[in-house]
Amino acid sequence: MGKPKAVIVGGSIAGICGAHALIRAGWDAVVLEKTPAPPSGSPTGAGLGLDPSSQKIIESWLQQPQLLQETTLPLAVDQNQATDGETKLSRTLARDEHFNFRAAYWADLHSLLYGALPLDIVLWGYLFLSFSMYDDKSKVEVKTKVLETGITINIVADLLIAADGCLSSIRQSFLPDLKLRYSGYCAWRGVLDFSSKKHSEAIISLKKLYPDLGKCLYFDLSSGTHSVFYELLNHRFNWIWYMNQPEPNLKGNSVTMKVNKNLVQNMHEEAEKTWVPELVRVIKEINEPFLNVIYDCDPLEQIFWDKVVLIGDAAHPTTPHGLRSTNMSILDAAVLGKCLEKWEVENLNSALEEYQSIRLPVTTKQVLYSRRLGRIKQGLSLSDRPSFDPKAASPEDYEELQQKNMPHFYDIPSLLK
């Protein structure tokens, strides 16, 4: 009979992880990705944090597990601090010294995972067009276009895995009325390479102000806004700044906005009013900051239909505040792979039922908690508590800012133990 086969749509981290998990489960996998070549930079994804479960899963997929440690930095500390925009003084609100995450640059992690796959698993420059089910639902047929030649190809498989992101077209075919929810804010993002300025006065003064850079995830909160700051491997700083604003009018199939010099200039002026001069200097030196419009959606009640299953952001669009997006994608892939291995292709429906039953209760709570955490840190209203103000908040309020309060934060699915 040969191995069962899956087509994975989407060659980002979720899709690459899906390929690893399916290969481990004894399946053949092919990944369709419309971009023409493996990414060398990171235009829409900069830094990310890997939780302990994700670290173990990734290491299990690598022939040289130590490479994950070698391409990431520790995030041993989760620190929330308040910065007064007028005085530019900062004070610690909450600090967790047992955080145990790792900081990765998106492109580094993608390259590590992609490089560990067999050759020809990922088809670059292949645009997903559509899919159809056999009348007896025994197979799914996927239509894809080779962008370089314009040729259309049909691929028959036992399973279609949608790893095509928060704007998933495959999800839309089952849930045409589902709408993403605008969070009320956008995020400026950027990475500064300071390798040629390691000993400059600016970097020295910055490290005095943020003494745990290289092992700490810093959250700076001010009135109605907050920023994130941490170090990446190879002398790079990752920076994010969330700003409340009306929903922008996005064009095209992306949640990343193009920015012009005027927008960047306005952002720099606001930074000077809000943050300490040392951080403002970093912000101004980032060559190409970009702007993400932050969405999530109310949790789905179903993430598979016959021979089609969702993983990653396609299954649970989420805001970034709980560092969940990448970690949920990795766990989705790992759990799906174990379910497929356990039930085998003859019992595919049972495998997908178990995958859904394991992941949905967890991701539902995590999406909603990430939403809540973002609204707290942005000073936005919530039904059960007053808006958070760093100047007036109590120590009990401070504790709510910590990542470790995320539901299922320490949980590992029994299937993976």
Side-chain angles (χ1 to χ4, degrees):
M1 292 289 292
K3 292 182 180 179
K5 182 174 184 175
V7 174
I8 302 170
V9 175
S12 193
I13 286 174
I16 300 297
C17 289
H20 274 287
L22 263 73
I23 291 168
R24 285 298 179 99
W27 281 56
D28 282 332
V30 58
V31 180
L32 307 179
E33 172 51 49
K34 63 180 179 291
T35 56
S40 56
S42 188
T44 58
L48 55 91
L50 293 171
D51 67 23
S53 297
S54 293
Q55 294 169 42
K56 289 179 182 177
I57 291 167
I58 291 171
E59 287 172 348
S60 75
W61 291 336
L62 302 176
Q63 286 189 333
Q64 298 173 281
Q66 74 279 6
L67 289 177
L68 180 64
Q69 302 288 313
E70 293 172 6
T71 55
T72 58
L73 283 182
L75 286 177
V77 181
D78 167 28
Q79 178 161 313
N80 286 268
Q81 57 191 45
T83 297
D84 188 306
E86 294 177 5
T87 65
K88 300 296 189 283
L89 295 176
S90 298
R91 60 190 175 91
T92 300
L93 302 178
R95 183 176 167 94
D96 175 10
E97 297 190 353
H98 304 283
F99 191 46
N100 203 22
F101 274 48
R102 303 284 301 183
Y105 185 55
W106 186 95
D108 291 348
L109 181 62
H110 187 280
S111 178
L112 180 66
L113 288 165
Y114 172 62
L117 283 175
L119 292 175
D120 302 325
I121 291 285
V122 183
L123 303 181
W124 300 101
Y126 279 62
L127 176 67
F128 166 79
L129 296 176
S130 63
F131 70 93
S132 59
M133 210 73 63
Y134 278 23
D135 289 341
D136 63 358
K137 297 186 178 180
S138 62
K139 300 282 183 180
V140 60
E141 187 169 358
V142 179
K143 183 180 289 187
T144 181
K145 182 179 181 180
V146 185
L147 293 177
E148 188 176 0
T149 63
I151 295 172
T152 298
I153 295 172
N154 292 339
I155 305 173
V156 175
D158 299 283
L159 181 64
L160 171 59
I161 300 175
D164 52 343
C166 69
L167 298 172
S168 170
S169 63
I170 297 174
R171 184 188 67 222
Q172 188 177 18
S173 68
F174 295 103
L175 302 170
D177 298 325
L178 182 73
K179 298 284 189 264
L180 295 185
R181 183 201 70 98
Y182 177 56
S183 64
Y185 48 88
C186 296
W188 282 97
R189 304 192 65 177
V191 172
L192 175 66
D193 183 340
F194 65 95
S195 54
S196 62
K197 307 168 187 173
K198 288 181 289 185
H199 306 297
S200 69
E201 181 187 341
I203 299 302
I204 290 169
S205 62
L206 184 77
K207 289 197 169 187
K208 282 182 181 177
L209 200 65
Y210 296 88
D212 290 321
L213 277 172
K215 67 173 185 178
C216 182
L217 176 62
Y218 282 101
F219 292 92
D220 265 315
L221 288 82
S222 195
S223 180
T225 190
H226 79 288
S227 67
V228 186
F229 190 52
Y230 55 95
E231 189 170 345
L232 299 168
L233 194 70
N234 296 326
H235 310 293
R236 292 171 289 189
F237 292 133
N238 185 67
W239 160 80
I240 312 167
W241 180 15
Y242 299 98
M243 298 177 71
N244 296 338
Q245 66 177 77
E247 182 177 1
N249 183 21
L250 283 174
K251 296 178 181 178
N253 193 35
S254 174
V255 295
T256 299
M257 280 180 63
K258 291 183 178 179
V259 296
N260 55 39
K261 289 183 179 179
N262 286 340
L263 269 179
V264 174
Q265 179 63 35
N266 291 340
M267 180 268 289
H268 288 169
E269 291 172 3
E270 285 300 313
E272 289 176 348
K273 299 175 188 175
T274 309
W275 306 119
V276 295
E278 291 86 350
L279 181 55
V280 173
R281 194 180 297 183
V282 168
I283 294 169
K284 286 184 173 181
E285 287 198 25
I286 292 172
N287 287 330
E288 295 182 355
F290 58 96
L291 192 59
N292 276 356
V293 186
I294 305 300
Y295 291 95
D296 65 9
C297 80
D298 292 337
L300 308 185
E301 297 179 359
Q302 185 175 351
I303 52 174
F304 85 92
W305 296 264
D306 295 319
K307 293 184 176 295
V308 181
V309 64
L310 310 179
I311 66 171
D313 288 344
H316 34 69
T318 186
T319 58
H321 310 290
L323 284 78
R324 286 293 88 206
S325 177
T326 300
N327 290 297
M328 285 196 288
S329 297
I330 294 166
L331 275 162
D332 285 352
V335 170
L336 177 60
K338 287 293 184 182
C339 290
L340 293 173
E341 183 179 10
K342 172 183 173 181
W343 288 98
E344 300 185 340
V345 71
E346 293 79 13
N347 303 298
L348 181 59
N349 194 72
S350 297
L352 299 180
E353 284 276 10
E354 184 171 14
Y355 162 70
Q356 179 174 273
S357 71
I358 291 171
R359 293 302 294 147
L360 263 191
V362 173
T363 59
T364 292
K365 290 180 181 178
Q366 293 188 337
V367 166
L368 294 177
Y369 193 81
S370 290
R371 179 186 297 183
R372 177 181 179 85
L373 195 56
R375 293 192 70 81
I376 291 172
K377 291 187 175 186
Q378 285 300 104
L380 296 170
S381 62
L382 285 162
S383 60
D384 63 339
R385 55 161 297 150
S387 298
F388 181 83
D389 179 354
K391 292 181 179 179
S394 68
E396 290 76 20
D397 293 323
Y398 303 161
E399 292 303 309
E400 198 171 4
L401 303 173
Q402 296 188 83
Q403 296 288 320
K404 67 181 180 182
N405 297 318
M406 174 67 64
H408 303 286
F409 185 73
Y410 296 108
D411 293 356
I412 300 172
S414 58
L415 205 65
L416 302 181
K417 292 178 181 176

